[in-house]
Amino acid sequence: MNDDALLAEQMAYYKAGAAEYDRPYAEYEDLQKLLAAVGDLPIAGHVLELACGTGQWTPRLAARAQSVTAVDASPEVLALARARTGSPTVRFLEADLFEWRPPRRYDTVFFAFWLSHVPPARLPGFWNTVAAALAPGGKAIFIDDGPAAAAHEEVLADQPTPTALRRLDDGSEYRIVKVFHDARTLTDDLTAQGWSVRIRTMAGNFIGVAEPPTTAA
Amino acid sequence: MNDDALLAEQMAYYKAGAAEYDRPYAEYEDLQKLLAAVGDLPIAGHVLELACGTGQWTPRLAARAQSVTAVDASPEVLALARARTGSPTVRFLEADLFEWRPPRRYDTVFFAFWLSHVPPARLPGFWNTVAAALAPGGKAIFIDDGPAAAAHEEVLADQPTPTALRRLDDGSEYRIVKVFHDARTLTDDLTAQGWSVRIRTMAGNFIGVAEPPTTAA
């Protein structure tokens, strides 16, 4: 390929990708706001972090907590989270969140960008697990994508469970569960299950604070 | 696809993509450091920004400049840059940088993540254009990826011009020019062409400040 052709294709790339390659900056700004918002959330005592991923949130939780137990299914992401989190009060656990049952109760159960990956059929069970993991007076705190984020995903149509296609740099494709919860519907659903819940939106995301039904806690 | 299979694939995605999906956060941190470094650079007077893209840098230049002329080949990115930059001292121009010749001279010529997209065969001409665009005492200031960034690109082997493959969310693929300049080699090359140049590295990036040969300015 000669340079003229290559430069024409380069120009086509930037033309076609304009909105897309600007998005990371916008997302970065949104993420920074969410990360900053952690400082205002009622994170306290012994904290359980579900689906901690690469530990983006873990150090911020650790700064507010007596201890953090951070759980994820992937040893690869846990290795990155461990490298990022240099706190003696954080313990990492490898476990499949759909199988794992917490061995104790916590004052805070935190999960960021995990709720959207829980299949709807498993949501009631998931919330029961969260409720069972909370000590009396404890709170669930969750952050996730709202409906606007769907515009940035390859949503697969006609799937029994809401599914998106994700692609890695090597071109490999993976289907993942991706439910874009609406704050109002989520509030209503949780309220109907007996939770006390407040959800606020921030850019295309939402932040929820919820207390389980007293019978469950 | 049932939920069990979907969840298995979701887990495989996060397992396979661990390093990759952590990278944006690291890149954001690097980018923030670079953006912050703009405050320490000798940006002054009338500024020409080449390949302004979506205007990530433009407002920061405008804050330090008497005026900014920001040029890019893509009307799509210029629209985003205009939306982001609310300054009366900034003027946007649509032009192919390989054809365009500045109609006047500037105190600063700034280009971030553009040098790596210039084919090596066109580099001498590019630097001459930059030199010709600088007023006496003016400086070129440039920021780009160093060799470490190659690890995050799909570099295509055996191309006459260093080429990388970029993929948009819709799966479409584009070949672009991508030269990962080494700070020392770049310094030597520019010095050999009569420039006075200082290049410092920051994470995987470099920041250069250069004055053209006095004969050219």
Side-chain angles (χ1 to χ4, degrees):
Chain A
M1 191 177 213
N2 69 39
D3 278 358
D4 284 337
L6 186 56
L7 288 172
E9 192 162 316
Q10 172 165 286
M11 203 181 289
Y13 166 72
Y14 281 105
K15 199 176 168 71
E20 182 173 320
Y21 80 83
D22 193 43
R23 194 190 340 127
Y25 302 120
E27 285 179 354
Y28 173 79
E29 284 164 23
D30 291 347
L31 178 68
Q32 288 302 305
K33 283 178 199 148
L34 287 174
L35 286 166
V38 168
D40 298 324
L41 294 171
I43 292 154
H46 297 287
V47 175
L48 172 65
E49 183 182 12
L50 300 176
C52 66
T54 58
Q56 182 65 19
W57 306 85
T58 315
R60 285 172 169 84
L61 300 176
R64 314 271 313 282
Q66 198 171 338
S67 77
V68 178
T69 303
V71 186
D72 202 283
S74 158
E76 290 81 2
V77 303
L78 285 169
L80 290 165
R82 274 197 192 88
R84 168 177 272 148
T85 312
S87 168
T89 60
V90 177
R91 192 168 64 111
F92 290 99
L93 268 184
E94 183 187 329
D96 178 349
L97 291 176
F98 293 107
E99 303 293 335
W100 185 70
R101 291 294 169 271
R104 55 160 290 176
R105 292 180 177 229
Y106 298 86
D107 303 298
T108 307
V109 177
F110 177 92
F111 39 105
F113 297 99
W114 173 242
L115 192 64
S116 57
H117 295 314
V118 176
R122 302 204 184 197
L123 264 182
F126 173 73
W127 285 114
N128 284 343
T129 301
V130 172
L134 283 168
K139 290 181 173 66
I141 300 178
F142 45 96
I143 297 174
D144 218 308
D145 289 314
H152 308 312
E153 293 269 3
E154 285 189 60
V155 174
L156 298 183
D158 303 323
Q159 303 293 312
T161 295
T163 303
L165 191 70
R166 292 276 181 91
R167 193 180 282 114
L168 296 177
D169 278 351
D170 66 3
S172 57
E173 296 180 339
Y174 296 83
R175 284 158 294 185
I176 62 162
V177 179
K178 191 72 188 182
V179 183
F180 300 98
H181 289 285
D182 168 74
R184 185 172 299 269
T185 310
L186 188 56
T187 303
D188 291 348
D189 289 351
L190 277 171
T191 304
Q193 290 167 50
W195 289 70
S196 304
V197 57
R198 284 169 296 122
I199 301 182
R200 66 179 164 127
T201 57
M202 183 178 279
N205 303 110
F206 62 80
I207 301 175
V209 178
E211 291 177 68
T214 45
T215 48
Chain B
M1 191 176 213
N2 68 38
D3 279 356
D4 283 338
L6 186 57
L7 288 173
E9 192 162 315
Q10 172 165 285
M11 203 181 289
Y13 165 73
Y14 281 105
K15 196 176 170 71
E20 182 174 320
Y21 80 82
D22 192 42
R23 195 196 333 131
Y25 301 119
E27 285 179 355
Y28 294 143
E29 284 165 23
D30 291 346
L31 177 67
Q32 287 302 107
K33 283 177 199 150
L34 288 173
L35 287 167
V38 169
D40 299 324
L41 294 171
I43 292 153
H46 297 286
V47 174
L48 173 64
E49 183 182 11
L50 301 176
C52 67
T54 58
Q56 183 64 22
W57 308 83
T58 315
R60 285 172 169 85
L61 300 176
R64 313 272 314 279
Q66 198 170 337
S67 76
V68 178
T69 302
V71 187
D72 202 284
S74 159
E76 289 80 2
V77 302
L78 285 170
L80 290 165
R82 274 198 191 89
R84 168 177 273 148
T85 311
S87 168
T89 61
V90 178
R91 192 168 63 110
F92 290 99
L93 269 182
E94 182 188 328
D96 179 350
L97 292 176
F98 293 108
E99 304 293 335
W100 185 70
R101 292 294 168 270
R104 56 159 290 175
R105 291 181 178 230
Y106 298 86
D107 303 298
T108 307
V109 177
F110 177 92
F111 38 105
F113 299 98
W114 173 241
L115 192 65
S116 57
H117 295 315
V118 177
R122 303 203 184 197
L123 265 183
F126 173 73
W127 285 114
N128 285 343
T129 301
V130 173
L134 282 168
K139 290 180 173 66
I141 300 178
F142 45 97
I143 297 174
D144 219 309
D145 288 313
H152 307 314
E153 292 269 2
E154 284 188 61
V155 174
L156 298 183
D158 304 323
Q159 302 294 312
T161 294
T163 303
L165 190 70
R166 292 277 182 91
R167 194 179 283 114
L168 295 178
D169 279 351
D170 65 3
S172 57
E173 295 180 339
Y174 297 83
R175 285 158 294 186
I176 63 161
V177 180
K178 192 71 190 183
V179 184
F180 299 98
H181 290 286
D182 169 74
R184 185 173 299 269
T185 309
L186 187 56
T187 303
D188 291 347
D189 289 352
L190 278 171
T191 304
Q193 291 168 50
W195 289 70
S196 305
V197 57
R198 285 170 295 122
I199 301 181
R200 66 178 164 125
T201 55
M202 183 178 280
N205 303 109
F206 62 80
I207 301 175
V209 178
E211 291 177 68
T214 45
T215 48

